[in-house]
């Protein structure tokens, strides 16, 4: 009996020692909230992480990614790309519990972890990053609100995430989503803030990867959807300066694939900046023509000179913090977007692109904009060919 007691006591000591060892290793790898760490971003990407399985949804990729802004437009596509290869995705959200609900179905049981946080509380941010080895920042906004300015959302939050990632001690990759055309000399405050964010991030983490997508199109996009809604409601589309600005729209799922491709490489994308544009260049007028073709309506445009468009959009920005009630979010007449699209937004000739990540982007015309059929007045199946458009005279 005494021998059995001594054996149990010895086994208990050994198990306690093992637990203490695991805890110390975990603290060393993931960092401690009360201590500050220097940057330990790996120089070999995430290629050496433990992987188990065949690489599918129920595998273990070794990636534990905190995706800030995951509940937004690009976020749902990126979470899906990460989850379907067996990554664990931590989803910080600050609104309703329903905000990240649609994301939980994208991964295996327990792989998508919604975590409520406060973006202005440093300890709250540390908590959602505590067990991660990858941080991806998708936070951004195209207009001011009463609570958050362009500079805070697009610049200061990104800078804070870079600092906390550097202190963390276990973050192997940091990827920042910027915008094509980001420049401190841009007339757009958002593009100015994005450029400042890039500079701040690279100052803290020179190994960070910057991704600059062009105007993104997809089911929840913020260009074709507002156009189609406006057209359906008012039977015409206003185009600033006749829609002569050239853009290079890109399918949102391609941008998500590019982020994952940069994350999975051997570290060759670290410290680099990628400009992601689609294979085709359109003027805004040509893109509107494609939109009209899909919704099967006769095109009706109203040319609005740039000064008049700015005059129409300015009152919201002036009154935003001067009235005692919230103002509606801008759609077509968004002053900052009008400023951003006052000049061409194209991929630079010497920039790193999809090709450098081993990807070929989709053409915009076709599957990426099929969602526009929901705006057909006669229903999704109205007409037998694209050329059969609704007769505008039959509607009041």
């Amino acid at each position: 009996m005494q021998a059995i007691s001594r054996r149990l006591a010895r086994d208990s000591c050994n198990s306690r020692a093992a637990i203490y060892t695991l805890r110390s290793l975990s603290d060393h790898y993931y960092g401690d909230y009360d201590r500050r760490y220097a940057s330990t971003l790996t120089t070999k990407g995430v290629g050496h992480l433990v992987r188990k399985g065949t690489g599918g949804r129920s595998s273990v990729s070794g990636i534990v990614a905190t995706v800030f802004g995951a509940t937004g437009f690009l976020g749902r596509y990126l979470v899906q790309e990460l989850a379907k290869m067996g990554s664990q995705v931590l989803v910080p959200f600050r609104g309703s519990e329903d905000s990240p609900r649609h994301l939980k179905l994208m991964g295996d049981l327990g792989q998508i972890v919604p975590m409520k946080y406060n973006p202005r509380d440093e300890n709250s941010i540390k908590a959602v990053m505590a067990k991660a080895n990858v941080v991806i920042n998708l936070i951004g906004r195209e207009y001011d609100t009463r609570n958050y300015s362009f500079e805070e959302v697009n610049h200061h939050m990104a800078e804070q995430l870079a600092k906390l990632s550097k202190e963390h001690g276990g973050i192997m990759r940091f990827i920042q989503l910027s915008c094509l055309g980001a420049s401190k000399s841009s007339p757009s405050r958002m593009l100015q803030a994005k450029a400042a964010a890039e500079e701040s991030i690279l100052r803290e983490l020179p190994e960070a990867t910057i991704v600059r997508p062009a105007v993104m199109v997809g089911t929840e996009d913020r260009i074709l959807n507002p156009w189609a809604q406006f057209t359906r409601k008012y039977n015409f589309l206003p185009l600033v300066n006749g829609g002569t600005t050239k853009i290079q729209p890109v399918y949102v799922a391609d941008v998500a694939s590019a982020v994952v491709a940069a994350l999975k490489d051997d570290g060759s994308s670290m410290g680099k900046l990628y400009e992601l544009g689609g294979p085709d260049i359109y003027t805004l007028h040509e893109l509107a023509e494609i939109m009209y073709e899909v919704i099967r309506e006769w095109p009706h445009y109203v040319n609005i000179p740039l000064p008049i468009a700015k005059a129409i959009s300015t009152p919201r920005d002036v009154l935003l913090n001067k009235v005692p009630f919230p103002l509606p979010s801008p759609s077509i007449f968004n002053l900052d977007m009008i400023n951003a699209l006052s000049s061409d937004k194209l991929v630079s000739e010497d920039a790193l692109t999809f090709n450098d990540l081993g990807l070929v982007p989709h053409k915009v015309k076709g599957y990426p904009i099929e969602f526009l059929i929901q705006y057909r007045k006669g229903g999704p199946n109205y007409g037998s060919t694209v050329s059969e458009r609704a007769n505008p005279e039959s509607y009041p």
Side-chain angles (χ1 to χ4, degrees), residues 75-149:
R76 66 190 66 202
Y77 295 90
L78 179 57
V79 169
Q80 183 180 27
E81 287 290 325
L82 290 168
K84 73 181 183 182
M85 67 180 187
S87 305
Q88 187 173 38
V89 185
L90 311 178
V91 180
F93 69 97
R94 63 180 182 86
S96 164
E97 297 285 343
D98 291 336
S99 298
R101 184 175 60 180
H102 60 287
L103 301 175
K104 296 184 70 173
L105 303 176
M106 295 179 179
D108 211 350
L109 185 63
Q111 289 296 88
I112 311 297
V113 186
M115 303 179 73
K116 195 157 189 173
Y117 87 121
N118 181 354
R120 288 174 172 153
D121 181 1
E122 188 172 297
N123 290 327
S124 175
I125 298 173
K126 288 180 178 179
V128 298
M129 291 171 54
K131 300 301 179 183
N133 53 33
V134 170
V135 171
I136 303 173
N137 180 34
L138 308 181
I139 296 175
R141 177 159 284 174
E142 299 165 338
Y143 53 88
D144 271 326
T145 66
R146 293 166 64 88
N147 297 320
Y148 292 94
S149 67

Side-chain angles (χ1 to χ4, degrees), residues 78 81 84 211 250-265 274-279 352-363:
L78 179 57
E81 287 290 325
K84 73 181 183 182
V211 176
V250 61
Y251 184 36
V252 62
D254 291 335
V255 178
S257 298
V259 172
V260 173
L263 182 62
K264 290 167 61 178
D265 67 13
Y274 293 86
E275 294 188 358
L276 307 180
L352 298 174
T353 62
F354 281 107
N355 187 51
D356 297 283
L357 294 170
L359 299 174
V360 178
H362 289 78
K363 287 183 174 293

Side-chain angles (χ1 to χ4, degrees), residues 137 139-141 148-158:
N137 180 34
I139 296 175
R141 177 159 284 174
Y148 292 94
S149 67
F150 277 116
E151 290 72 26
E152 182 175 8
V153 172
N154 297 300
H155 176 200
H156 300 307
M157 286 185 183

Side-chain angles (χ1 to χ4, degrees), residues 44-47 173 260-270 274:
K44 294 294 182 183
V46 290
R173 294 297 299 271
V260 173
L263 182 62
K264 290 167 61 178
D265 67 13
D266 60 356
S268 58
S269 63
M270 298 182 71
Y274 293 86

Side-chain angles (χ1 to χ4, degrees), residues 10-191:
R10 184 172 66 253
D11 291 344
S12 177
C13 291
N14 290 338
S15 64
R16 288 177 183 175
I19 291 172
Y20 293 147
T21 302
L22 286 173
R23 284 179 179 174
S24 63
L25 286 173
S26 177
D27 290 342
H28 173 73
Y29 182 74
Y30 291 115
D32 191 298
Y33 295 158
D34 299 326
R35 296 174 58 190
R36 296 184 177 271
Y37 291 81
S39 174
T40 57
L41 292 186
T42 178
T43 57
K44 294 294 182 183
V46 290
H48 68 283
L49 293 177
V50 176
R51 290 186 173 87
K52 295 180 181 178
T54 58
R57 172 187 170 102
S58 298
S59 302
V60 177
S61 70
I63 296 172
V64 182
T66 299
V67 182
F68 290 91
T71 56
F73 176 31
L74 174 61
R76 66 190 66 202
Y77 295 90
L78 179 57
V79 169
Q80 183 180 27
E81 287 290 325
L82 290 168
K84 73 181 183 182
M85 67 180 187
S87 305
Q88 187 173 38
V89 185
L90 311 178
V91 180
F93 69 97
R94 63 180 182 86
S96 164
E97 297 285 343
D98 291 336
S99 298
R101 184 175 60 180
H102 60 287
L103 301 175
K104 296 184 70 173
L105 303 176
M106 295 179 179
D108 211 350
L109 185 63
Q111 289 296 88
I112 311 297
V113 186
M115 303 179 73
K116 195 157 189 173
Y117 87 121
N118 181 354
R120 288 174 172 153
D121 181 1
E122 188 172 297
N123 290 327
S124 175
I125 298 173
K126 288 180 178 179
V128 298
M129 291 171 54
K131 300 301 179 183
N133 53 33
V134 170
V135 171
I136 303 173
N137 180 34
L138 308 181
I139 296 175
R141 177 159 284 174
E142 299 165 338
Y143 53 88
D144 271 326
T145 66
R146 293 166 64 88
N147 297 320
Y148 292 94
S149 67
F150 277 116
E151 290 72 26
E152 182 175 8
V153 172
N154 297 300
H155 176 200
H156 300 307
M157 286 185 183
E159 182 179 21
Q160 185 179 37
L161 292 181
K163 289 180 179 179
L164 295 180
S165 297
K166 181 178 180 179
E167 297 166 2
H168 181 286
I171 302 299
M172 298 182 176
R173 294 297 299 271
F174 187 100
I175 299 179
Q176 164 72 7
L177 189 85
S178 187
C179 290
L180 189 64
S183 170
K184 288 189 174 181
S185 61
S186 172
S188 164
R189 289 174 56 200
M190 184 190 73
L191 295 180

